[in-house]
Amino acid sequence: MIFVKIHFKKSAPMTFAPVSRLLWPVMRIILLATVLTGVWLRFEGIGRKPVWYDEVATFLHLSGKTEAQLGRLYDGRVLHVGELLQEYQGGARSEGAIISEASFGSIPDVVRAVATDEPQSGALYFTVAAAVVAGTDDPARVRLLSAVASSVSLLLLGLLAWRLFDQKIALAAVALAAISPLELRFAQEARPYAMCVALLLASALAANRASHTRHLPSWLLYALCLTAALWTHPIALLAVPGLLALAIKPKPNREPLLRRGALHTGWLATAAAVTAWLPWALVCSSAYPKIQRLTSWSSEPIGVVGLARGWLGAITSLFFRPRGEGGIFPSDFSVPAISVVSILLAGAVVAIAAAALVSITRHPDRSTRRYVLLLALVPWLAFAALDITLGGRRSTVPRYLIPAWAGLELAVAYWMMRSDSWPRARHLLLMLLLALGAATAWRTQAARGWWDTDVPRLLALRETAAVIDAIPGAIVVTDTPPLNLLELARYLHPETSFRLGPTAATSLADEEWSRAVLIAPSQSLFDAMSKSATERGTRLEKWRSDGVGPALWRVVAFAPEVGSRWQFERQHLATQLEFDLRRSRLYARTDHFRFDPDKRPGHLHVAAMSMLPEE
């Protein structure tokens, strides 16, 4: 009998690729798509939002004019809207204008205007804007500077994160910043915040490179970038501790004397940048009372509960926005449900931020963890200490915390892309944050205005302008402050006339009284107008009874003749119907802030019949 011995070769156990390695190609595609979407959103519809109060100040200073110069026109003279905008808004177009020529001031005039009116803002942004967008009168062209700066900041953030961590963390950090509601918000505003963020990131990248190369050109580049950031906005001072942590990084395997010299070089470069900013610091110091008055709204106490809510809102808005104008949830959701879900989401974001900051403390490189922690915590802790001790809401204002944005984004990206415990859960959490941010961006694009400003006030301005433009040859009488005046003028027809100041009541000609509209007057101007109207046998009537918009009055007769009463009622009804038609068109496209007669006609009603003269 033959026995056959069969030998079986023992095979190796079956192995599977790590799940994180299989998920990374998919995640990379999602992250890249998010970055590209974020860049596109920075430019999409950049001219759609209305020019609001702070941007009015930007255009005023770009014209080389100050509020005091505009205040000299408050002497009762006749001013046309088109001429006013041409002179004090750089040729900005009003609602009815077709073309206009830009008239931005020279760079010295622009710097002088900024130093006079808002020294708390740096001069560099306005200087660059005046040089780059000279010759244009389109708000979108001026805002383009912020959109470009915000897009460049994404590239700089990615390069910085790649040098500090690795490629995966860099891509995650850029994706978070690309879809961030706060970053998108300030990327489309004609203000210096986006440019300041880009220069701070350039400073950090230069500091990191200089600490490794120890070459003089690298140190000069770092000092130059930090100087530019400080001249763009003084809030950049809050990023200096974090930048120092990168700049004074000791290089290993060097003699102690050389290490000490490298530390001194980092301090000297930082000190040189701060010294170069001292001229503007002296301007701010000399204008401190005015700065205090301009920022007094941020020192109004809101209590501990208000501070807690503001802190939650500021942290949450960096990643997504659950409620409010442009929020994720529709406005028809019940308030209790929105409140509960918003609190839960805000709590989750706070937990993520806390876990990320704890995680960064375990990073092996000391300069990296110090930079991220100081960048994220110093701005908030500085303003929170002021708010708790002196009262106020400074620590809840997102633009006061712009140096901390990159710090939180780097910490969160580092925590979510680490390969230690629960990597899949943290990767899914990153996808959820990006999805909520994308939903916020989609909702914000369709919002009626800037989501963190007073949207009802902006709508009221448009509606008030519709009322005034419905009056043929209307003459607006007011003594409202200059920036409020310019903000309203942007909504009016260019041929509409103004009479400004306390003497406007006595400057009106007899034939102008029937077309005069009094808006947002001081008590003295209102009394003067009432007295002058009584002397002419007329009176002031409240223009609207719905309470929308600024206070508005029109002059009407005491007792018109019987034969002319039907004419008066018919003219008044036609004026009111035209106003209601304009308002219905307004609400048909409030997202674009444009009248469009081809859209939803809306409803017509007569809401101001109480203005008819008494029997």
Side-chain angles (χ1 to χ4, degrees):
M1 182 178 293
I2 302 173
F3 294 93
V4 179
K5 189 176 181 180
I6 301 176
H7 296 276
F8 294 93
K9 185 177 181 181
K10 187 177 181 180
S11 61
M14 186 176 294
T15 58
F16 296 91
V19 178
S20 59
R21 186 179 301 174
L22 295 176
L23 289 177
W24 171 240
V26 178
M27 284 187 61
R28 182 166 51 188
I29 294 174
I30 295 175
L31 294 176
L32 288 173
T34 303
V35 172
L36 294 177
T37 302
V39 173
W40 173 72
L41 288 174
R42 279 158 170 76
F43 297 91
E44 197 277 330
I46 196 170
R48 183 183 306 161
K49 298 292 191 298
V51 177
W52 74 292
Y53 186 89
D54 282 12
E55 289 186 311
V56 168
T58 297
F59 283 95
L60 175 63
H61 301 143
L62 289 179
S63 68
K65 303 296 192 301
T66 64
E67 294 181 52
Q69 289 175 288
L70 179 55
R72 298 192 190 108
L73 304 181
Y74 282 55
D75 56 2
R77 72 181 76 177
V78 177
L79 297 170
H80 294 290
V81 168
E83 298 172 352
L84 189 69
L85 294 179
Q86 176 72 26
E87 183 72 14
Y88 292 93
Q89 291 285 276
R93 283 194 284 261
S94 61
E95 284 299 311
I98 299 176
I99 57 173
S100 61
E101 295 181 358
S103 60
F104 283 150
S106 63
I107 290 179
D109 290 337
V110 170
V111 175
R112 194 177 302 112
V114 175
T116 302
D117 279 354
E118 53 170 328
Q120 74 278 9
S121 298
L124 183 60
Y125 166 80
F126 298 93
T127 302
V128 174
V132 172
V133 301
T136 181
D137 61 352
D138 186 4
R141 294 281 297 276
V142 182
R143 291 169 176 169
L144 194 63
L145 179 59
S146 295
V148 171
S150 183
S151 300
V152 171
S153 69
L154 296 180
L155 174 63
L156 295 173
L157 179 65
L159 293 175
L160 179 63
W162 199 339
R163 289 184 65 92
L164 297 180
F165 305 107
D166 57 34
Q167 180 185 3
K168 295 182 179 180
I169 296 174
L171 190 55
V174 174
L176 288 172
I179 210 67
S180 167
L182 283 181
E183 303 242 16
L184 290 172
R185 161 67 177 84
F186 291 104
Q188 292 194 343
E189 185 183 47
R191 297 295 289 171
Y193 305 112
M195 184 174 173
C196 184
V197 171
L199 289 172
L200 285 177
L201 289 171
S203 302
L205 197 59
N208 179 261
R209 176 176 175 79
S211 65
H212 285 82
T213 62
R214 309 295 184 186
H215 294 158
L216 180 60
S218 300
W219 289 117
L220 292 177
L221 179 61
Y222 161 63
L224 180 63
C225 291
L226 181 54
T227 302
L230 292 171
W231 276 86
T232 302
H233 203 288
I235 203 72
L237 275 174
L238 297 175
V240 169
L243 293 173
L244 271 174
L246 283 180
I248 62 176
K249 176 183 178 180
K251 195 168 183 179
N253 301 323
R254 286 289 186 97
E255 295 296 331
L257 183 61
L258 295 179
R259 292 184 184 181
R260 192 176 300 112
L263 298 180
H264 291 168
T265 308
W267 280 100
L268 287 175
T270 305
V274 175
T275 303
W277 173 72
L278 283 182
W280 194 260
L282 294 177
V283 172
C284 296
S285 176
S286 61
Y288 180 72
K290 182 167 188 174
I291 295 176
Q292 209 170 21
R293 177 175 56 83
L294 292 174
T295 59
S296 59
W297 58 271
S298 64
S299 60
E300 298 173 356
I302 57 176
V304 177
V305 177
L307 282 176
R309 292 179 59 184
W311 295 338
L312 287 176
I315 295 175
T316 305
S317 297
L318 183 60
F319 302 103
F320 60 90
R321 183 172 170 82
R323 60 186 301 181
E325 187 71 24
I328 297 174
F329 301 113
S331 57
D332 55 356
F333 270 35
S334 62
V335 174
I338 292 180
S339 299
V340 172
V341 176
S342 299
I343 292 173
L344 292 176
L345 288 176
V349 170
V350 171
I352 291 173
L357 293 176
V358 170
S359 176
I360 205 70
T361 60
R362 300 169 184 166
H363 192 274
D365 185 71
R366 183 174 63 178
S367 65
T368 297
R369 64 174 180 263
R370 284 183 176 178
Y371 167 72
V372 175
L373 288 173
L374 291 172
L375 195 66
L377 295 178
V378 166
W380 179 77
L381 290 176
F383 286 119
L386 286 176
D387 291 339
I388 294 173
T389 56
L390 304 178
R393 62 183 72 186
R394 307 168 191 85
S395 57
T396 68
V397 181
R399 62 178 177 269
Y400 288 2
L401 306 174
I402 56 173
W405 297 353
L408 281 176
E409 289 161 352
L410 288 172
V412 171
Y414 173 72
W415 178 69
M416 289 187 168
M417 299 305 293
R418 287 180 62 185
S419 58
D420 51 2
S421 60
W422 301 95
R424 280 185 295 173
R426 284 184 275 109
H427 293 168
L428 291 176
L429 198 57
L430 174 62
M431 295 297 105
L432 178 60
L433 271 185
L434 295 178
L436 292 174
T440 303
W442 176 71
R443 293 275 298 171
T444 303
Q445 290 302 107
R448 297 172 293 177
W450 304 100
W451 54 258
D452 62 341
T453 57
D454 190 355
V455 174
R457 185 184 63 82
L458 292 176
L459 293 177
L461 281 174
R462 176 58 63 94
E463 190 165 338
T464 300
V467 174
I468 295 172
D469 285 342
I471 304 172
I475 299 176
V476 179
V477 180
T478 183
D479 60 353
T480 190
L483 292 182
N484 297 97
L485 173 71
L486 293 173
E487 190 177 21
L488 172 64
R490 284 183 163 272
Y491 297 99
L492 293 171
H493 192 274
E495 297 302 321
T496 303
S497 299
F498 279 116
R499 283 192 182 271
L500 307 175
T503 61
T506 58
S507 303
L508 283 169
D510 291 336
E511 67 274 8
E512 292 177 334
W513 275 87
S514 61
R515 297 177 281 120
V517 177
L518 181 64
I519 177 171
S522 64
Q523 187 61 47
S524 60
L525 178 59
F526 180 79
D527 293 341
M529 284 289 293
S530 298
K531 181 180 178 181
S532 297
T534 303
E535 292 173 352
R536 286 172 167 80
T538 57
R539 66 176 180 183
L540 293 178
E541 285 279 355
K542 201 69 173 284
W543 178 243
R544 288 199 306 262
S545 60
D546 54 8
V548 176
L552 197 65
W553 286 267
R554 190 181 179 187
V555 179
V556 297
F558 270 118
E561 299 178 3
V562 176
S564 64
R565 178 174 181 82
W566 167 246
Q567 265 184 347
F568 179 88
E569 292 184 356
R570 193 168 95 181
Q571 180 182 3
H572 173 76
L573 180 61
T575 300
Q576 185 63 36
L577 288 177
E578 183 177 354
F579 156 61
D580 285 328
L581 180 60
R582 284 172 177 262
R583 181 163 63 176
S584 67
R585 291 168 182 169
L586 163 67
Y587 285 111
R589 291 190 66 185
T590 51
D591 56 338
H592 287 197
F593 278 81
R594 301 282 185 201
F595 295 138
D596 191 343
D598 299 327
K599 295 293 181 180
R600 177 170 54 91
H603 61 281
L604 298 179
H605 66 280
V606 179
M609 292 302 293
S610 59
M611 297 185 305
L612 292 176
E614 298 174 354
E615 294 290 342

